[in-house]
Amino acid sequence: DHIAWREEMYRRAGVEPGWAQGNQITFHLSPPRPLSHGRRVVNEEALLDVLREYGPVQTVQFRSSTPFEEQVQTMANSSIFVAIHTSVLTNAVLLRPGAAVFEITPCNLQWGQLEQFMKTLTTAGGDIHHFAWRCENISHTHHHEAAQRRKFSHWLQRECMGEECVEAAVKVDVEVDLDEFRRLLDARLPQILAGESAQSLDVKWEDMPTLYKPAAPVESEEEASDAAAEQGAEMAAPRSTPAPPK
């Protein structure tokens, strides 16, 4: 049971159980190269500036040498956890009930539901929110290897369904669209901090972009009526009959 497991991890780390309080934001930094070849956020500092608009921000960098108790305490003290799609997001199951994950997902990870795996894991207990900014513009992808950049940088998501392309999509850095990420936070953070349940705010993975993509302009009733009248007039207009050939 997810909830019982989390409570046991809290007990072992000396953490009192309870619901998330406050608006502490924790951002997971990627280790600098050449220490790591993992995924990174290219515009990390700019993203941190955006996050500071919504609350106090602390940065962490979990490594294999980071004591487990420290990881548990960090997650328990975080109301909002922001990280790129890597194995570090498995720590999100240690967040308190009512806390939230805002994940940054690279382009072209849709093969075998790989892209939404972390959300499935985080939300298994039913009391942690999980939302994601999903990279859909390939220009936001920075491949680590020149050969993969030449081969896959122009591929669309619907074309990248094979194993080779997905493996290349994993070896990338990501440039976050800051306006979209801000809209994502605006769409859900107020309700999260107000205590609304994870179930009531949940969004299907494929519908995540609706939270941050600008909505298409909606025609007013007057505009729709004028368009319909114009179309009707065109259909009713007499058509000229071509003259018979001489």
Side-chain angles (χ1 to χ4, degrees):
D1 177 83
H2 168 85
I3 296 174
W5 179 85
R6 178 178 59 200
E7 291 178 352
E8 175 60 18
M9 296 305 103
Y10 278 18
R11 186 190 66 78
R12 294 185 185 186
V15 174
E16 289 293 325
W19 284 72
Q21 302 291 328
N23 62 340
Q24 177 64 59
I25 301 170
T26 298
F27 179 83
H28 189 271
L29 297 167
S30 300
R33 294 199 178 91
L35 297 178
S36 170
H37 296 286
R39 290 179 289 281
R40 300 171 66 247
V41 175
V42 174
N43 51 343
E44 197 168 71
E45 287 300 324
L47 178 58
L48 285 169
D49 286 340
V50 170
L51 295 176
R52 292 185 184 105
E53 299 172 11
Y54 296 86
V57 177
Q58 66 173 345
T59 58
V60 298
Q61 196 173 90
F62 295 143
R63 303 188 184 188
S64 58
S65 58
T66 305
F68 179 68
E69 292 78 7
E70 180 182 331
Q71 297 183 49
V72 175
Q73 291 165 2
T74 297
M75 300 308 291
N77 292 332
S78 304
S79 294
I80 308 297
F81 187 60
V82 182
I84 196 167
H85 180 100
T86 62
S87 59
V88 75
L89 278 169
T90 58
N91 281 0
V93 296
L94 294 167
L95 290 167
R96 293 183 181 275
V101 174
F102 285 87
E103 177 185 357
I104 298 162
T105 307
C107 289
N108 296 341
L109 281 185
Q110 73 276 13
W111 181 70
Q113 296 189 327
L114 174 63
E115 188 183 29
Q116 57 187 298
F117 172 76
M118 293 301 179
K119 180 179 188 288
T120 302
L121 182 65
T122 303
T123 57
D127 59 8
I128 299 174
H129 303 270
H130 193 120
F131 302 99
W133 176 80
R134 300 175 56 199
C135 174
E136 295 184 317
N137 187 338
I138 198 66
S139 67
H140 291 168
T141 298
H142 298 248
H143 287 274
H144 296 172
E145 301 175 11
Q148 292 180 338
R149 180 171 61 252
R150 289 191 297 269
K151 184 172 183 178
F152 297 113
S153 61
H154 62 284
W155 284 36
L156 301 176
Q157 189 176 65
R158 65 176 180 270
E159 299 171 320
C160 193
M161 296 299 291
E163 184 176 348
E164 184 184 11
C165 184
V166 173
E167 286 181 354
V170 169
K171 300 173 183 177
V172 298
D173 295 333
V174 179
E175 182 177 352
V176 176
D177 185 310
L178 300 178
D179 289 335
E180 290 186 352
F181 203 87
R182 188 181 280 109
R183 283 194 289 268
L184 174 61
L185 293 171
D186 289 340
R188 280 296 181 263
L189 197 51
Q191 296 101 311
I192 291 169
L193 297 179
E196 294 192 31
S197 70
Q199 291 91 340
S200 67
L201 297 180
D202 190 36
V203 176
K204 291 181 179 180
W205 188 259
E206 59 271 21
D207 295 333
M208 283 288 177
T210 64
L211 296 176
Y212 53 83
K213 291 288 187 184
V218 179
E219 286 186 336
S220 66
E221 290 185 8
E222 182 178 352
E223 290 172 330
S225 176
D226 290 345
E230 184 176 339
Q231 184 178 8
E234 290 178 355
M235 295 178 64
R239 296 181 181 274
S240 59
T241 303
K246 295 182 180 179

